[in-house]
Amino acid sequence: MDRYDERDTIFSRMELVPGSERYKTYYARRPELEETDAGLRFAAGGTYRAGVIEQARVSSAFRFLHDTRPLATGRGQAAGLKPDRKPPPDKESFILTGSMLRDIAFDYGAVSFGYSALKMECFYNVRGRGYEYGKPVSEPLRNALVYAVEMKREKVEKAPRVDETYEVARGYIRAMVIGMALSYFLRELGYRARSHLEGESELVLPAAARSAGLGEIGRMGLLLTDIYGPRVRLGAVTTDYPVDALPGEYMPVQEAGKVKQFCSKCGICARRCPGKAIPEGEDLAESAETGKPQWTVNPESCYSIWKKYGTDCGICVSVCPYGSA
Ligand code: SF4
Ligand code: SF4
């Protein structure tokens, strides 16, 4: 089954700098995308662009997030943040439970948590963002702890204004902190672990979250959770700790098929999407991760609206009725 090449995602393509070697190499491989991408990259717009202070709140949050990327793999530790680190304890001398890991995630603000041994289809084939651009993901750590943080309803309902974008950035930062807490903890115990955060992830996060039982992919292409619907941001840590052997209660698994049934009748996000990026009908395409049919969002149409608005839109998330909270 095909895996996603992260270099083909719209976010990776929009980060390409015209004239750079990376730019030339990419469009030599995908020449059919160059004109479309140039139009998107240089499109004017910004209907909902806010004042200097509001913009700085968003851009500073993303800059901070960007600067934490080296810590995702513990490179910060290796670079000497803790040079006097003691050897890890003997693995026979402690019992690590799923509840302990869930508690760490919840202590730092998670609202949902699960774990799963992931299929390779949940990983990008080749990295397209962050420090490992162009690197094949060939032998990743397969055991994953996956979690979600909630985005505040009152902020999400401000979409497509900048308040919603700020809430997205805030969600990414909280997810990053949880991933750092879990991955540093596992490394302290002598396991390998890496955190997957926005822009520095080997994982297709919604696929990993679905595999860990946090929810299912809805018509808008995002994970829908039973309680918060799509009003969540996701994060994950992969490790060589054998998660399937974790004893202890953690979180109930969402009922399979419920989202597809709901979305089939609903369709609100598709009708309200200003870019007509979300399919309205029952046309389903085969999912790269599961091979099962699911709806496919048009990323170019969506991104054109982001450029037009000068925010990340978010109307689909704000109008979705799925979820009990
Ligand atoms: S708005 Fe409706 S169709 Fe769209 S994802 Fe939410 S529940 Fe599904
Ligand atoms: S973010 Fe906006 S443009 Fe993109 S799919 Fe959602 S509603 Fe459509």
Side-chain angles (χ1 to χ4, degrees):
M1 197 177 299
D2 288 344
R3 289 159 60 200
Y4 288 123
D5 184 330
E6 194 185 20
R7 295 173 298 181
D8 292 333
T9 63
I10 194 82
F11 298 112
S12 173
R13 283 150 51 197
M14 291 301 108
E15 286 174 3
L16 293 170
V17 178
S20 66
E21 277 310 308
R22 190 174 287 185
Y23 181 102
K24 289 179 205 162
T25 305
Y26 181 75
Y27 290 111
R29 190 169 65 83
R30 298 299 304 270
E32 75 280 10
L33 293 172
E34 185 168 11
E35 193 179 336
T36 304
D37 288 1
L40 287 171
R41 200 174 286 116
F42 300 117
T47 313
Y48 294 100
R49 195 168 285 281
V52 173
I53 298 292
E54 289 82 0
Q55 284 296 326
R57 285 176 75 201
V58 174
S59 55
S60 62
F62 277 106
R63 199 173 300 281
F64 169 49
L65 196 59
H66 179 277
D67 288 352
T68 65
R69 286 178 178 182
L71 301 178
T73 52
R75 273 194 282 253
Q77 282 184 328
L81 282 187
K82 196 177 176 191
D84 58 346
R85 190 167 179 271
K86 289 185 293 213
D90 177 358
K91 288 173 186 159
E92 301 299 317
S93 68
F94 61 87
I95 296 172
L96 181 61
T97 68
S99 302
M100 289 176 195
L101 294 166
R102 179 203 56 197
D103 288 349
I104 291 175
F106 276 51
D107 283 345
Y108 284 94
V111 293
S112 183
F113 177 86
Y115 43 80
S116 175
L118 299 177
K119 294 182 185 166
M120 284 302 281
E121 287 76 16
C122 291
F123 292 86
Y124 290 115
N125 186 17
V126 179
R127 292 291 311 281
R129 298 183 75 197
Y131 285 98
E132 294 174 331
Y133 185 97
K135 183 181 168 194
V137 182
S138 44
E139 291 184 355
L141 299 169
R142 298 274 285 272
N143 299 329
L145 315 171
V146 192
Y147 50 85
V149 297
E150 182 192 5
M151 292 195 294
K152 291 180 188 166
R153 179 180 290 285
E154 66 270 24
K155 296 289 186 190
V156 166
E157 287 179 349
K158 292 277 180 17
R161 297 181 187 280
V162 76
D163 302 59
E164 185 271 348
T165 309
Y166 178 67
E167 184 62 5
V168 169
R170 201 177 72 86
Y172 282 140
I173 287 176
R174 286 177 298 139
M176 175 274 292
V177 170
I178 295 165
M180 296 302 176
L182 287 168
S183 55
Y184 274 69
F185 173 66
L186 285 163
R187 285 196 291 268
E188 199 73 14
L189 292 176
Y191 295 101
R192 294 169 65 205
R194 70 161 292 157
S195 181
H196 301 266
L197 49 135
E198 208 290 316
E200 191 61 61
S201 177
E202 292 179 336
L203 287 170
V204 182
L205 279 169
R210 172 172 49 197
S211 180
L214 269 58
E216 290 184 89
I217 310 300
R219 184 187 288 270
M220 67 174 79
L222 300 179
L223 188 87
L224 300 194
T225 62
D226 266 356
I227 299 177
Y228 305 99
R231 266 191 314 109
V232 291
R233 288 289 128 183
L234 303 170
V237 167
T238 48
T239 175
D240 59 359
Y241 186 86
V243 293
D244 279 355
L246 280 174
E249 287 292 307
Y250 58 109
M251 291 294 288
V253 172
Q254 188 159 314
E255 192 186 321
K258 195 170 148 188
V259 163
K260 196 152 285 168
Q261 271 182 10
F262 196 98
C263 288
S264 293
K265 293 192 186 118
C266 172
I268 293 175
C269 57
R271 293 195 292 280
R272 293 285 301 277
C273 172
K276 299 283 172 223
I278 303 172
E280 288 203 38
E282 290 295 314
D283 297 338
L284 305 174
E286 185 180 281
S287 159
E289 311 94 50
T290 63
K292 293 179 185 160
Q294 70 177 43
W295 287 281
T296 305
V297 173
N298 183 316
E300 289 81 14
S301 302
C302 173
Y303 196 78
S304 72
I305 295 296
W306 288 29
K307 293 291 283 195
K308 182 176 169 193
Y309 287 172
T311 69
D312 65 5
C313 179
I315 289 172
C316 47
V317 176
S318 74
V319 300
C320 179
Y322 197 88
S324 57

